[in-house]
Amino acid sequence: MTTMLYIDGAFVAPKAGGSFPAIDPATEQAFDQVAAGTADDVDAAVRAARAAFDDGRWSGLSAKARADALRKVAEGIRARLPELAALETRDNGKPMPEAEWDIGDAADCFDYYADLAEARAAQPEKTVDLGDARFDARIWREPVGVVAAITPWNFPMLMGVWKVAPALAAGCTIVLKPSELCSMTCYEMARIIDEAGLPAGVFNLVTGTGPEAGAPLSEHPLADKVAFTGSVPTGRRVMQAASAGIRTVALELGGKSPFLVFGDSDVDKAVEWILFGIFWNKGEICSATSRILVERSLYPKLLERLKQEAEKIRIGPGDADGVKLGPVVAKSQYDKVMGFLERAKDSGARLVTGGGRPEGFDTGYYIAPTVYADVPLDAEIWREEIFGPVVCVNPFDTEEEALRLANDSPYGLAGAVMSRDLERCDRVAAKLRAGIIWINCSQPTFTQVPWGGYKSSGIGRELGEHGFDSYLETKQVTRFDRDEDWGWYLTGDQG
């Protein structure tokens, strides 16, 4: 079977008729074909979204009507959750329980923004006291317009929903281009949205490669906003393309997040959160806490426990019972991570465990859980985002040193701190230069709170009310009392 594009309320074949394979990373075999959209398809989708926004068929509906439609989408996702999770696992490689949580979160995200749309509609417009009784000013929030959304492969449906749900809730129309490495669940989401009865052109899906579909979408002159999640190099290109039309840009990019573990921490709890922070989703997480800084008094003991527990992690196909680490998403990503591991041999870092393909896995893009210690601070594996199951650990002696090492990075997406001293945790959290800070944990993510980073980790925020507001424009409306005389030009009275 070959998937189709979804444009202007209809499933259509690409104008050029192309497709590419969906590969199961556990078997390295194709299991489906994905429609390969090109610039012509992108143009048709953006024009459909433009027409749907401009005639008000979606933005002109009441917030309740939009919310009801989004809740139908959430219901449709939940009704097919086991099927969608199995497809996500097959397409991405992640363990089935993780896929089930992701799909459940996607449904919850639609519900959250449905509720928020209604809550915002119930709030009165904001008025401003101008200090002049002849004028009154109001502030209106309106949908930004047509959104061009480009999403990654590590959380295929969920990352799509992080953009689709708030954009639709705000009254925008949208064209979604998911990663060519994992497009299948976004295609199924298009089917669910179609079944929910959203008006034609409100949601559009164009699958395809970055050069053939992503670039034309980010450059399209009829899009009002470009929302991108992915790598820093690609984010730069997206930003440059969008700047030609002076469009709003939101970028959620990479990370090299630190995890500071102080000497008073419980070793078992610290190791559990370190494992979760880097090996969840095979380390294919932009916020992964991949740089671990441990107070020297705890350093040897923690490294020993971390090695023991990392070597216990069950590796295998994501649909096998008990598996906690599946294959990385694709051969290209496998080769990239293996390149880091090969170059690390000459970096001076000490390999604690892992470092290559696990024994017994001759097929599939598997990489063993890998731990490096005593890593030089200028080493590539310490400074660059690997996006795989690889963690680096170094000691520190003082809180000041730990903060200096943690903040010495071009990235600033997330960070974590662990200590029984909560005052110290808050003090460290305040000084970490990152948009997301976890205390005594790593990686919990909630729809209700903002997501995004500092520095090279991106621009803007997703999730929570911030995610909703990012799809709104602000308009000032100032009114003059018509019964008053202005008298600036006609009478010369400037009072």
Side-chain angles (χ1 to χ4, degrees):
M1 182 190 84
T2 301
T3 67
M4 304 185 81
L5 312 179
Y6 184 67
I7 298 174
D8 205 15
F11 289 95
V12 297
K15 294 180 185 297
S19 67
F20 53 89
I23 304 292
D24 183 340
T27 65
E28 304 183 33
Q29 299 298 310
F31 66 91
D32 218 327
Q33 290 290 315
V34 182
T38 60
D40 287 343
D41 303 299
V42 167
D43 183 63
V46 175
R47 290 183 183 279
R50 180 83 266 163
F53 182 78
D54 289 346
D55 68 18
R57 72 186 74 165
W58 181 247
S59 61
L61 294 178
S62 68
K64 183 181 186 309
R66 293 200 304 272
D68 287 345
L70 296 189
R71 292 188 183 104
K72 287 182 181 178
V73 176
E75 291 169 4
I77 292 172
R78 289 194 186 95
R80 296 178 54 191
L81 194 152
E83 170 195 346
L84 292 169
L87 182 60
E88 193 89 305
T89 290
R90 193 175 192 189
D91 205 17
N92 172 274
K94 67 180 63 189
M96 185 73 73
E98 297 184 23
E100 290 172 343
W101 290 325
D102 292 351
I103 302 302
D105 284 349
D108 292 344
C109 192
F110 272 107
D111 277 338
Y112 172 80
Y113 282 109
D115 293 344
L116 187 55
E118 289 188 312
R120 284 295 187 86
Q123 296 174 359
E125 63 187 8
K126 184 176 181 180
T127 59
V128 179
D129 183 357
L130 301 174
D132 187 330
R134 296 172 298 177
F135 296 90
D136 67 70
R138 293 163 291 164
I139 298 174
W140 293 351
R141 303 301 304 276
E142 299 177 342
V144 70
V146 176
V147 177
I150 303 171
T151 55
W153 44 259
N154 55 336
F155 294 89
M157 176 182 274
L158 185 58
M159 293 293 97
V161 170
W162 279 18
K163 294 176 180 12
V164 172
L168 294 181
C172 298
T173 59
I174 191 166
V175 179
L176 173 64
K177 206 297 283 185
S179 168
E180 59 267 35
L181 296 182
C182 289
S183 300
M184 297 300 294
T185 49
C186 285
Y187 171 68
E188 295 301 322
M189 180 170 66
R191 294 176 61 188
I192 292 169
I193 288 174
D194 184 69
E195 292 164 2
L198 273 68
V202 171
F203 171 84
N204 304 269
L205 175 75
V206 178
T207 52
T209 67
E212 294 294 323
L217 181 57
S218 65
E219 297 167 358
H220 204 288
L222 296 182
D224 298 297
K225 172 173 180 163
V226 180
F228 171 81
T229 298
S231 70
V232 171
T234 306
R236 288 194 186 100
R237 292 195 293 272
V238 168
M239 191 172 183
Q240 289 168 352
S243 69
I246 319 297
R247 287 181 288 280
T248 301
V249 178
L251 303 174
E252 204 277 276
L253 306 176
K256 192 70 175 177
S257 301
F259 191 162
L260 286 63
V261 181
F262 284 88
D264 63 347
S265 301
D266 180 282
V267 170
D268 289 337
K269 291 179 181 177
V271 168
E272 171 67 22
W273 283 112
I274 291 170
L275 294 172
F276 189 78
I278 185 59
F279 298 133
W280 177 263
N281 203 47
K282 308 158 288 172
E284 296 170 342
I285 307 176
C286 54
S287 59
T289 38
S290 56
R291 290 187 297 140
I292 312 300
L293 291 159
V294 184
E295 194 164 6
R296 197 173 298 275
S297 61
L298 194 63
Y299 187 65
K301 185 176 181 181
L302 185 141
L303 271 178
E304 180 183 0
R305 291 285 289 117
L306 183 59
K307 178 181 188 296
Q308 292 171 353
E309 296 305 316
E311 290 174 352
K312 292 178 185 177
I313 294 173
R314 184 172 177 185
I315 305 168
D319 58 359
D321 290 341
V323 164
K324 292 187 177 179
L325 190 75
V328 298
V329 69
K331 187 177 187 304
S332 57
Q333 187 64 17
Y334 175 83
D335 291 343
K336 176 184 175 184
V337 176
M338 292 297 283
F340 275 104
L341 301 184
E342 183 63 29
R343 293 188 296 275
K345 294 177 181 178
D346 299 322
S347 70
R350 173 164 61 95
L351 178 63
V352 176
T353 188
R357 178 182 281 273
E359 291 185 9
F361 290 91
D362 297 327
T363 302
Y365 307 123
Y366 293 99
I367 297 173
T370 298
V371 179
Y372 288 99
D374 307 326
V375 184
L377 299 181
D378 60 353
E380 180 188 44
I381 56 171
W382 181 258
R383 300 202 63 82
E384 297 299 323
E385 183 177 42
I386 298 173
F387 224 64
V390 182
V391 65
C392 296
V393 191
N394 270 328
F396 69 85
D397 292 302
T398 66
E399 181 178 315
E400 292 72 22
E401 180 190 14
L403 282 164
R404 176 177 57 79
L405 295 175
N407 287 328
D408 182 19
S409 172
Y411 299 104
L413 181 54
V417 54
M418 177 167 278
S419 172
R420 287 189 171 94
D421 184 345
L422 296 184
E423 288 187 4
R424 174 163 57 189
C425 287
D426 283 345
R427 186 169 64 244
V428 169
K431 293 180 180 179
L432 286 171
R433 294 288 295 165
I436 304 155
I437 305 297
W438 295 294
I439 292 177
N440 290 330
C441 59
S442 177
Q443 302 307 315
T445 303
F446 301 95
T447 303
Q448 300 91 336
V449 289
W451 182 274
Y454 295 7
K455 299 187 280 187
S456 292
S457 288
I459 298 171
R461 294 294 183 269
E462 296 190 294
L463 298 183
E465 293 194 35
H466 291 77
F468 184 84
D469 290 339
S470 73
Y471 292 97
L472 297 174
E473 289 280 20
T474 301
K475 177 182 285 185
Q476 166 213 146
V477 180
T478 299
R479 181 172 55 193
F480 179 67
D481 185 342
R482 289 181 299 174
D483 292 333
E484 287 277 350
D485 290 327
W486 177 238
W488 184 277
Y489 286 105
L490 293 182
T491 69
D493 180 3
Q494 297 179 15

